[in-house]
Amino acid sequence: MKKLIWGLVIVAVVAVFGGRAWYLHKQSTAEKNVVKIGAILPLSGVMSHNGEMALNAMKMLEDKVNATQSVKVKVVAEDGKFTTKDSLSAFRKLQSAGIDLILAYGDVPSKAIVYIAKEQNIPLFTVSDGKDLNAVPVVVNLIPKNEYMIDYMTKFVVEDVKPESVAVIHQKDLAAIEKGDLMVKNLKDAGITVTKQEQFAFDAPEVRSIVSKALYGDPKAVVFFGWGPAYTAILNTLREQGFKGPIITDWNISAVFDSLAKTAYPLYWMDTYFDEHSTLPEVQKFVAEYKQRYNMVPDIFAMLSYIGTQTITSSLKTNNYQPMTVMQDVIKTHDLPTVLGKVSIGDDRYLELPLVIKQMQSDGTAKIVKE
């Protein structure tokens, strides 16, 4: 009977403290002076390119930090496949590896693990548009808030483009829907007529009907949010169907830039100072190093992952760190010098960084037209 009782006690203890076993184990090993950043990335599936870009950038920064800082870091990546089930599995594997912090790429993995991270007091750094994530106190969002970006885009549309009417097209996902709704509200508040708000699926096989509906009502400009194959098809179909007005979109265009550069038209997009063809020495150095190391050109998502991880590593000042202390130091980030200029973490725990408006040029390059 006593053996049975003690067995039940042990089971109960494991159930209560099992989530902390990774941390206790870590403290008893030589790795206690190495900060392990667990990364849940889409390394396979439809977003594998983005995951690969992000991991490459994180590994590149890891080497730089370990060569210059006394506190060492180790990036441990698991494939979340951009699904809830696989993200949870990746989280459990990272726990077993004794990670200190988690960085999750995208809404799906972040929402899959956010409440487990809260329960176990593990800092969660996310690259996500999900506005509800930041309501959880262990979350820091390493991407600008949608309102921050949309307000900037709206100002450009209202003050520089000055259209009488606008059609808004956006993808059917939470982030793009939120951006579309915010833009529609901002435009209406500014006295601009919104002729149509049209949605499309990521893998829409045919987009002509979507474009036709969006152009019904003769809008003078189009504001467009999305990514993926349908995103590219809609941009090109807008011109094929005779639309000659300005198109304004966001930084997802960086992933499809090459397929658009052959045709010059008034295409504008919100972006950062990052650009493969940038004349800024810091950006040129980053691009050259990335290309030499990985034999590929980094996109904006690689840069955001690099900058986001830099906010974490810059907060590692001593070996006597605790994960939540690191998070509190990250929250205090203000005017941190980076390749993209000075970045900060706002009071709402979102990344703030310099934004610009770029325009496609006739030679297929991008030009900054508003800072």
Side-chain angles (χ1 to χ4, degrees):
M1 178 61 72
K2 289 183 178 180
K3 288 183 179 180
L4 176 59
I5 292 173
W6 275 110
L8 292 174
V9 170
I10 291 171
V11 170
V13 170
V14 170
V16 172
F17 294 103
R20 282 299 182 194
W22 60 275
Y23 185 73
L24 296 174
H25 168 72
K26 180 181 177 63
Q27 292 301 93
S28 65
T29 70
E31 288 188 324
K32 64 182 180 181
N33 290 330
V34 177
V35 181
K36 298 179 77 172
I37 302 174
I40 300 179
L41 305 168
L43 300 175
S44 62
V46 295
M47 293 188 66
S48 59
H49 175 75
N50 300 65
E52 181 183 10
M53 284 280 181
L55 181 57
N56 288 346
M58 293 176 71
K59 286 291 188 180
M60 194 165 84
L61 183 63
E62 174 189 75
D63 288 348
K64 287 188 176 183
V65 168
N66 290 341
T68 58
Q69 291 187 190
S70 60
V71 183
K72 308 305 180 185
V73 300
K74 182 178 181 181
V75 176
V76 184
E78 290 291 342
D79 185 6
K81 301 181 182 178
F82 215 70
T83 72
T84 297
K85 178 182 177 181
D86 291 300
S87 295
L88 285 168
S89 176
F91 180 82
R92 288 191 290 269
K93 291 178 182 177
L94 290 173
Q95 280 187 298
S96 299
I99 51 84
D100 296 289
L101 321 164
I102 292 281
L103 188 148
Y105 186 100
D107 289 357
V108 174
S110 300
K111 290 180 178 180
I113 67 170
V114 63
Y115 290 107
I116 305 176
K118 177 185 177 183
E119 179 182 310
Q120 300 189 11
N121 221 32
I122 302 174
L124 172 59
F125 298 91
T126 178
V127 181
S128 166
D129 290 307
K131 63 179 180 180
D132 52 330
L133 287 167
N134 282 49
V136 179
V138 298
V139 173
V140 177
N141 213 317
L142 301 178
I143 194 172
K145 193 175 183 179
N146 277 339
E147 286 87 346
Y148 179 81
M149 295 186 287
I150 300 306
D151 286 350
Y152 184 81
M153 289 181 66
T154 302
K155 185 176 181 181
F156 172 72
V157 174
V158 173
E159 296 180 359
D160 296 81
V161 180
K162 301 178 181 178
E164 297 175 0
S165 58
V166 174
V168 177
I169 309 174
H170 57 78
Q171 196 164 311
K172 292 180 183 177
D173 64 48
L174 293 176
I177 290 172
E178 182 184 347
K179 289 179 181 178
D181 290 345
L182 285 170
M183 180 59 75
V184 168
K185 180 183 183 302
N186 285 0
L187 292 173
K188 288 181 177 180
D189 288 347
I192 295 176
T193 300
V194 178
T195 59
K196 194 73 174 179
Q197 183 176 359
E198 196 66 32
Q199 299 185 22
F200 67 96
F202 162 80
D203 56 352
E206 209 288 315
V207 300
R208 293 184 181 279
S209 61
I210 296 170
V211 173
S212 296
K213 291 177 184 177
L215 295 182
Y216 183 80
D218 191 27
K220 304 307 177 188
V222 170
V223 175
F224 186 34
F225 302 108
W227 56 283
Y231 174 75
T232 312
I234 288 174
L235 278 170
N236 288 321
T237 304
L238 281 166
R239 296 306 177 190
E240 292 173 7
Q241 293 198 13
F243 182 70
K244 298 180 180 180
I247 299 172
I248 305 96
T249 183
D250 61 3
W251 54 34
N252 287 320
I253 201 169
S254 66
V256 298
F257 190 85
D258 289 342
S259 62
L260 301 171
K262 297 176 183 178
T263 304
Y265 47 73
L267 172 64
Y268 302 91
W269 62 97
M270 179 210 69
D271 210 333
T272 68
Y273 282 102
F274 170 76
D275 189 315
E276 178 192 352
H277 307 288
S278 173
T279 57
L280 295 175
E282 298 89 345
V283 177
Q284 287 181 334
K285 182 179 178 181
F286 174 85
V287 172
E289 184 178 347
Y290 194 101
K291 288 170 68 175
Q292 181 179 12
R293 181 164 176 163
Y294 300 111
N295 196 31
M296 62 175 68
V297 178
D299 62 11
I300 184 61
F301 302 106
M303 176 58 77
L304 286 172
S305 299
Y306 186 90
I307 299 301
T309 309
Q310 188 178 357
T311 66
I312 300 173
T313 59
S314 66
S315 300
L316 303 174
K317 300 178 177 64
T318 69
N319 283 328
N320 298 318
Y321 70 89
Q322 295 291 334
M324 290 306 294
T325 303
V326 174
M327 177 182 171
Q328 293 304 317
D329 287 339
V330 171
I331 292 173
K332 297 174 185 176
T333 300
H334 182 71
D335 286 344
L336 174 68
T338 72
V339 177
L340 295 180
K342 293 181 178 180
V343 305
S344 302
I345 301 294
D347 294 338
D348 51 10
R349 286 178 277 124
Y350 278 91
L351 183 72
E352 296 177 352
L353 77 172
L355 297 175
V356 299
I357 298 293
K358 296 178 182 176
Q359 181 182 9
M360 183 76 79
Q361 301 298 294
S362 59
D363 61 358
T365 61
K367 178 183 179 181
I368 295 175
V369 294
K370 188 178 182 69
E371 298 184 67

